[in-house]
Amino acid sequence: MRYLSTRDKSISRTFEEALFAGYAPGGGLFVPQHLPDVTRLDLEAWTSLSFPELAFVVLCNFIPSDEVSSDDLRSICQRSFYDGFDAAGGSVVPVVKVGSLYVSELFHGPTFCFKDLGMRAVINLLSHFTTKRRRQTTLLVATTGDTGPAAAQAVCDTKNPNLRIVVHFPLGQISNFQRKQLTTLQSPNIKIVSFEGGGDDMDRPIKDILTDPHPSDEGGNHVYCGVNSYNIGRPLMQMIHAIWTYLRVVEQVNGTIGVTVVDFILPTGAMGNMTGTYMAKKMGVPIGMMCAGVNINDITHRV
């Protein structure tokens, strides 16, 4: 599997290269060269899998074994989707009937935010490659409240001395709880910086750093990486809980796996969850309508 730029299909990268690049040269995003077909038989086989097992099976289609061995990828999935999650019975993501709807509870991770589901596996993969390449990696993150705590906690939990993170948040514009989540972590590898301005004002400086032709130092042994939702790792991981939710809803309505269609309503900021769900739909998961619900963070609606 190769990853191509949305702005120039001649730009092709390995999974590791795309993961560390975040943005493609020229400011595009990396997307898979192709999406695998998911059949009804596949979905039926996946119904009995735990969340980490489902993650492993799905991600095998996107992460070649010559980049991450099957044993390593399975271990990363286990650590990413069990450690720190408090859902009863180890379900990771319970799906609960509320009136006529089914709600996928994405808040059972260590920072009580759905970003745990996308972020922990991405950062564990970055940690894996950082160790493999014997280099220093610094992650650059801008947050309006959810991404930062999830990313910082995940970096802290890797206990990898070569993996660092700098989190930027707009002063006075995140909750006190989220600010404390960021500023009370005990790790020398985590730096938290507040800035004056709006929640998206750090996006351009970070993008400029990451798309610089020479964004590394120390003779190439220190790389910078962004892990906000433009990083292809994020929608790949968020695809997992879309597929998981589909399977759990069809079970509860006594539908037919691979035939029954499920509509998705998704709280939406930068469209990471929407992208992961859309990719699952394009692969063949019977997902019907996709509705993006926004709040005051309404860039998706305006676009």
Side-chain angles (χ1 to χ4, degrees):
M1 174 69 77
R2 301 286 293 186
Y3 289 82
L4 309 181
S5 169
T6 53
R7 294 187 179 179
D8 184 351
K9 291 184 178 180
S10 69
I11 297 175
S12 173
R13 298 288 188 269
T14 65
F15 171 75
E16 178 184 356
E17 291 168 341
L19 187 72
F20 273 86
Y23 289 104
L29 303 181
F30 282 112
V31 293
Q33 186 174 26
H34 66 271
L35 292 175
D37 293 326
V38 173
T39 68
R40 179 178 174 181
L41 290 177
D42 291 328
L43 291 170
E44 289 175 347
W46 293 352
T47 57
S48 62
L49 300 180
S50 67
F51 195 98
E53 290 169 343
L54 176 64
F56 170 75
V57 169
V58 174
L59 292 176
C60 280
N61 292 284
F62 296 95
I63 304 176
S65 60
D66 61 349
E67 293 194 61
V68 182
S69 71
S70 294
D71 287 345
D72 286 339
L73 183 58
R74 192 184 300 274
S75 175
I76 287 169
C77 289
Q78 288 288 331
R79 295 198 310 274
S80 301
F81 300 117
Y82 269 159
D83 293 352
F85 285 81
D86 65 1
S91 63
V92 181
V93 177
V95 178
V96 180
K97 191 173 190 299
V98 179
S100 60
L101 303 176
Y102 290 84
V103 176
S104 192
E105 295 186 346
L106 307 181
F107 51 79
H108 289 278
T111 70
F112 315 107
C113 172
F114 83 91
K115 297 288 177 69
D116 288 322
L117 291 157
M119 193 63 75
R120 293 181 72 77
V122 168
I123 286 178
N124 279 328
L125 281 164
L126 291 168
S127 178
H128 170 82
F129 286 121
T130 293
T131 299
K132 181 178 179 179
R133 302 299 177 197
R134 298 181 181 179
R135 67 188 179 199
Q136 300 280 337
T137 300
T138 297
L139 308 181
L140 302 177
V141 177
T143 186
T144 52
D146 290 335
T147 299
Q153 184 67 58
V155 169
C156 185
D157 290 345
T158 68
K159 296 180 174 60
N160 186 339
N162 294 319
L163 185 65
R164 310 166 184 168
I165 188 169
V166 182
V167 180
H168 309 79
F169 73 90
L171 187 63
Q173 295 186 39
I174 67 174
S175 71
N176 283 332
F177 177 71
Q178 291 165 327
R179 179 181 58 78
K180 290 176 181 177
Q181 282 183 310
L182 286 171
T183 57
T184 58
L185 285 171
Q186 300 298 309
S187 171
N189 292 344
I190 297 171
K191 303 297 181 186
I192 310 299
V193 182
S194 65
F195 63 92
E196 294 182 354
D200 297 327
D201 287 353
M202 280 302 299
D203 291 351
R204 173 57 61 180
I206 289 177
K207 185 173 184 178
D208 288 344
I209 292 171
L210 297 177
T211 55
D212 187 296
H214 305 288
S216 61
D217 57 22
E218 300 176 17
N221 199 40
H222 184 183
V223 298
Y224 298 90
C225 175
V227 289
N228 282 90
S229 56
Y230 51 77
N231 188 305
I232 184 57
R234 291 280 301 281
L236 286 181
M237 302 310 160
Q238 290 166 172
M239 180 197 309
I240 310 302
H241 54 255
I243 298 172
W244 172 270
T245 298
Y246 170 82
L247 296 172
R248 302 291 80 80
V249 170
V250 175
E251 283 178 341
Q252 293 188 49
V253 301
N254 294 318
T256 302
I257 296 291
V259 176
T260 301
V261 176
V262 176
D263 296 330
F264 277 67
I265 302 171
L266 297 153
T268 302
M271 293 191 72
N273 260 335
M274 183 68 79
T275 301
T277 304
Y278 180 70
M279 290 168 66
K281 177 175 180 174
K282 294 290 285 184
M283 288 162 57
V285 181
I287 294 170
M289 179 191 71
M290 295 171 56
C291 175
V294 303
N295 56 14
I296 195 171
N297 179 19
D298 65 347
I299 184 61
T300 296
H301 174 73
R302 285 186 278 140
V303 170

